[in-house]
Amino acid sequence: MSERRPGEIPEATVARLAVYLRVLTGLVDASTVTVSSEELATIAGVNSAKLRKDLSYLGSIGTRGVGYDVTVLREKIASSLGLTQRRTCVLVGIGNLGHALAGYSGFSSRGFTFVGYFDADPARVGEPIVDSRIRDIAELELVVKSHGVSIGVIATPAEAAQTVCERLVDAGVTSILNFAPSVLTVPDNVDVRKVDLAAEMQILSFHEHRKSRGLGNGLVESVG
Amino acid sequence: MSERRPGEIPEATVARLAVYLRVLTGLVDASTVTVSSEELATIAGVNSAKLRKDLSYLGSIGTRGVGYDVTVLREKIASSLGLTQRRTCVLVGIGNLGHALAGYSGFSSRGFTFVGYFDADPARVGEPIVDSRIRDIAELELVVKSHGVSIGVIATPAEAAQTVCERLVDAGVTSILNFAPSVLTVPDNVDVRKVDLAAEMQILSFHEHRKSRGLGNGLVESVG
DNA sequence: TTCACTTTGTGCCTGCGTTCACAAGCGGTT
DNA sequence: AACCGCTTGTGAACGCAGGCACAAAGTGAA
């Protein structure tokens, strides 16, 4: 029944492709030529069948009896993720977290170029940041439109997030990464991913709670 | 037959409970007394049936014909997540991101107490951070054991992450939040959650790529 | 009490994602 | 050339999660 159109990659797979890509980059640096699904899966921390199925969505890349050519596979994944072209981004909200994000070298090295850092606080505007300066949020639309920015990163307080989000979307941004602890409402054509630090901690707290509850009685699963 | 043991809450539900909790806290601040699943679901950005099913795992909390008592529900969720007791945490790796995390007020306000900030760089050791000072990583085990730390946050470079992880686990930590772009290997009884900033951007990049491919022609993916 | 109305809690169905297991395919060897 | 051993790619089964739709259960009014 479910005949997936070629090029239609499941969401869960996309998330893992990014991990495989990183692992493969490491292998390239180590001058590894070929890798089997078993090896790659072990390093990436997933099941090898899952890995093969993930890669199969990109076409038939491997060689049976041998494995995958590391550089070929890396290129294929990169192109599937649309990483062959640099993407322009803006960062809004230059507090503690915003500064950290601006300083994170992982973005630039992976093809993401930040063309503007914005804050609403007049006291911060003009401060140097990375190789640039913090701009007034009033210039947001101008910069987004002139650079054709496609990804907006929100690191503002929760109260400001939705407003900032709407301004980004209206200016033409179609993907948003949200660090503010707030639920964003966007049109259908816009993608949002959220990173909720407090929620992550609370999820861990839940598991801690669960584990400590299980200690007394015999309910725990076998400890390896 | 899906007979779930009482107290067994699905993983997907746990993640959403944290969101509901935040929304409810907002409602308490706004002196709201009662809320229906429809209202709460809208604010939280989920389907109301899903929300009701999520809450049903906590027991029968609502009142039919009325809705949920905001404070009662909030308490119930907080206790399910194990947030009634404060949890002690350590943060390892005080670079850009580490500083931002240390300064994030959302942790402390939600019951997480950081009892140690560690770095391997001798030049950084002793620097003030929040209401404390950066400690030498050599003291990690001592602090973890003496405070009974249950959650470790890793914000080191990728190369150091696995080693730090093992030291944390050996010292007794059973939950880890990993910000390093690296796959951690841990024993079965330890929970790991990862926050991979570059991966998030790459996932968005994928969707940008997909959107732009679909714009002009009706054709996709003809690789030669 | 009985009725009308509201909202919860959930049975059931559907679909996605994961895993198993194996046929198909490739390289190396004799 | 024929065979053997290894690894990929995938059909099929399974399990978890999401969403509809409705019975159950509460409130308030007559």
Side-chain angles (χ1 to χ4, degrees):
Chain A
M1 14 178 200
S2 62
E3 187 61 23
R4 208 180 272 273
R5 288 204 311 271
E8 281 294 316
I9 305 178
E11 194 60 30
T13 293
V14 172
R16 284 189 296 267
L17 286 179
V19 176
Y20 305 153
L21 183 62
R22 189 174 59 221
V23 172
L24 286 166
T25 301
L27 291 176
V28 167
D29 291 350
S31 307
T32 309
V33 177
T34 309
V35 70
S36 74
S37 65
E38 197 64 45
E39 296 168 319
L40 190 51
T42 303
I43 306 175
V46 301
N47 179 300
S48 72
K50 179 153 58 177
L51 181 134
R52 287 198 298 278
K53 185 154 282 190
D54 284 343
L55 298 185
S56 77
Y57 291 115
L58 312 184
S60 223
I61 317 233
T63 307
R64 290 165 198 247
V66 178
Y68 300 88
D69 181 296
V70 172
T71 41
V72 168
L73 182 53
R74 192 174 69 118
E75 275 318 297
K76 191 73 184 176
I77 293 179
S79 94
S80 297
L81 294 178
L83 300 174
T84 43
Q85 66 179 113
R86 284 195 85 79
R87 303 209 172 265
T88 50
C89 317
V90 291
L91 174 59
V92 185
I94 316 296
N96 254 327
L97 184 58
H99 263 112
L101 293 172
Y104 182 47
S105 61
F107 292 146
S108 169
S109 71
R110 286 179 177 79
F112 299 97
T113 304
F114 280 79
V115 296
Y117 304 93
F118 300 89
D119 202 288
D121 183 355
R124 282 194 192 132
V125 173
E127 278 182 17
I129 184 164
V130 198
D131 53 356
S132 176
R133 283 180 184 280
I134 298 178
R135 295 182 184 218
D136 193 295
I137 186 96
E139 300 175 46
L140 185 62
E141 285 79 2
L142 181 71
V143 173
V144 167
K145 285 177 180 163
S146 67
H147 283 86
V149 168
S150 55
I151 301 179
V153 179
I154 298 178
T156 65
E159 312 78 62
Q162 180 62 40
T163 306
V164 166
C165 174
E166 284 163 17
R167 288 181 62 176
L168 285 168
V169 170
D170 286 348
V173 167
T174 47
S175 287
I176 288 179
L177 182 54
N178 181 31
F179 287 89
S182 131
V183 178
L184 295 181
T185 306
V186 295
D188 285 349
N189 64 317
V190 176
D191 287 285
V192 174
R193 292 192 65 86
K194 68 160 196 239
V195 175
D196 189 331
L197 303 179
E200 295 295 334
M201 294 292 282
Q202 288 172 348
I203 293 167
L204 288 176
S205 166
F206 169 81
H207 290 295
E208 284 296 312
H209 188 47
R210 184 177 49 76
K211 282 180 226 168
S212 60
R213 269 188 317 187
L215 282 182
N217 54 44
L219 273 181
V220 266
E221 55 251 280
S222 57
V223 243
Chain B
M1 281 314 198
S2 59
E3 188 59 27
R4 208 179 269 274
R5 286 205 311 268
E8 281 294 316
I9 304 179
E11 196 59 31
T13 292
V14 174
R16 284 189 296 268
L17 286 179
V19 176
Y20 304 153
L21 183 62
R22 189 175 58 222
V23 172
L24 286 166
T25 301
L27 290 177
V28 167
D29 292 349
S31 306
T32 308
V33 177
T34 310
V35 69
S36 74
S37 65
E38 196 64 45
E39 295 168 318
L40 189 52
T42 303
I43 305 176
V46 301
N47 179 299
S48 71
K50 180 154 57 178
L51 181 135
R52 287 198 297 276
K53 188 162 283 187
D54 284 342
L55 298 186
S56 76
Y57 292 116
L58 311 185
S60 224
I61 317 230
T63 308
R64 293 167 196 241
V66 178
Y68 299 89
D69 181 295
V70 172
T71 41
V72 168
L73 181 53
R74 194 175 68 118
E75 274 321 295
K76 190 75 183 176
I77 292 179
S79 93
S80 297
L81 293 177
L83 300 174
T84 42
Q85 66 178 113
R86 286 196 81 81
R87 302 210 171 264
T88 49
C89 317
V90 291
L91 173 59
V92 185
I94 316 294
N96 254 326
L97 184 58
H99 264 111
L101 293 173
Y104 182 48
S105 60
F107 292 146
S108 169
S109 71
R110 285 179 179 80
F112 299 98
T113 304
F114 280 80
V115 296
Y117 304 92
F118 300 88
D119 202 288
D121 183 355
R124 283 194 192 130
V125 172
E127 279 182 16
I129 185 165
V130 196
D131 52 356
S132 176
R133 284 181 183 280
I134 298 178
R135 295 181 184 219
D136 193 295
I137 185 98
E139 301 174 44
L140 185 62
E141 286 79 2
L142 181 71
V143 172
V144 167
K145 285 176 180 163
S146 67
H147 284 86
V149 168
S150 55
I151 301 179
V153 179
I154 298 179
T156 65
E159 312 79 62
Q162 181 62 39
T163 305
V164 166
C165 174
E166 283 162 17
R167 289 181 62 178
L168 285 168
V169 169
D170 286 348
V173 166
T174 45
S175 287
I176 288 178
L177 181 55
N178 180 32
F179 287 88
S182 132
V183 177
L184 296 181
T185 305
V186 295
D188 284 350
N189 64 319
V190 176
D191 286 285
V192 175
R193 293 192 63 87
K194 68 160 195 232
V195 175
D196 189 331
L197 303 178
E200 296 294 334
M201 293 293 281
Q202 289 172 347
I203 293 167
L204 289 175
S205 167
F206 169 80
H207 290 295
E208 285 295 311
H209 189 47
R210 182 176 48 75
K211 283 181 224 168
S212 61
R213 269 190 315 188
L215 280 183
N217 48 34
L219 176 64
V220 279
E221 193 83 5
S222 50
V223 179

